[in-house]
Amino acid sequence: MGKIDSFGSFINKAAVNFFPLACLFELTYRCNLSCKHCYVVSKKTKELSKLEVFAILRQLKDMRCLNLIFSGGEILTRKDFFAIAAYARKLNFNIILYTNGTLIDAKTADKIREMMASGEFLGEGFYPYFNEMMSKWSNKNS
């Protein structure tokens, strides 16, 4: 790809070389909530297996994708979510999580913190306890 002098140069090289900067990967249609504003409709569709997800992650890595956004439904309803996320970290993706935050207890927060060496976390900010939970999680990350 050559030397990159600036972020703008990087974006231009990404465009010229046709590699995606980010992928929004919807891991599941399942959710523990039924929010009126949500565009994700719960479906009885079979989810991709963990091995199928791994294969797609390898393809994204081969395409030079940098940012991987895990979304759904609610990503934490997948029993294998942390195995998938760990594999994505092994492939050096910058991971971003879209979650409603309602399934995050102390143990889950610790797992997220360990996995998120870099990356972002986005939850639904309209739940009364969300800001308190996030501030506790963020303080542990400092």
Side-chain angles (χ1 to χ4, degrees):
M1 204 168 76
K3 185 178 177 187
I4 298 174
D5 299 321
S6 68
F7 183 70
S9 172
F10 171 75
I11 297 298
N12 288 336
K13 286 189 184 286
V16 168
N17 290 296
F18 301 105
F19 69 85
L21 295 176
C23 172
L24 175 67
F25 198 141
E26 293 187 348
L27 290 173
T28 183
Y29 290 112
R30 286 181 289 137
C31 187
N32 59 320
L33 301 177
S34 297
C35 300
K36 291 180 183 180
H37 71 276
C38 187
Y39 66 90
V40 177
V41 178
S42 183
K43 297 181 181 181
K44 300 295 181 198
T45 306
K46 182 182 171 197
E47 292 177 342
L48 296 173
S49 72
K50 180 174 67 173
L51 294 179
E52 290 171 320
V53 171
F54 285 3
I56 292 169
L57 294 178
R58 286 190 301 273
Q59 290 174 27
L60 288 168
K61 188 63 180 175
D62 290 344
M63 294 169 61
R64 298 182 179 167
C65 181
L66 299 175
N67 297 299
L68 183 60
I69 306 162
F70 285 127
S71 183
E74 172 50 51
I75 56 176
L76 296 174
T77 62
R78 275 194 75 131
K79 302 273 187 241
D80 58 359
F81 169 73
F82 285 103
I84 291 169
Y87 188 73
R89 286 295 304 145
K90 182 178 175 184
L91 294 175
N92 294 315
F93 285 106
N94 179 54
I95 299 173
I96 301 165
L97 306 181
Y98 286 2
T99 175
N100 61 38
T102 59
L103 300 177
I104 300 175
D105 56 14
K107 183 178 175 183
T108 303
D110 286 342
K111 284 183 179 180
I112 291 170
R113 187 179 67 243
E114 290 168 12
M115 176 197 60
M116 303 284 286
S118 66
E120 301 172 35
F121 176 89
L122 176 67
E124 301 287 344
F126 54 86
Y127 297 104
Y129 56 86
F130 182 80
N131 289 335
E132 179 182 337
M133 183 270 303
M134 279 306 296
S135 67
K136 287 179 182 176
W137 182 79
S138 296
N139 290 338
K140 286 183 180 180
N141 240 357
S142 302

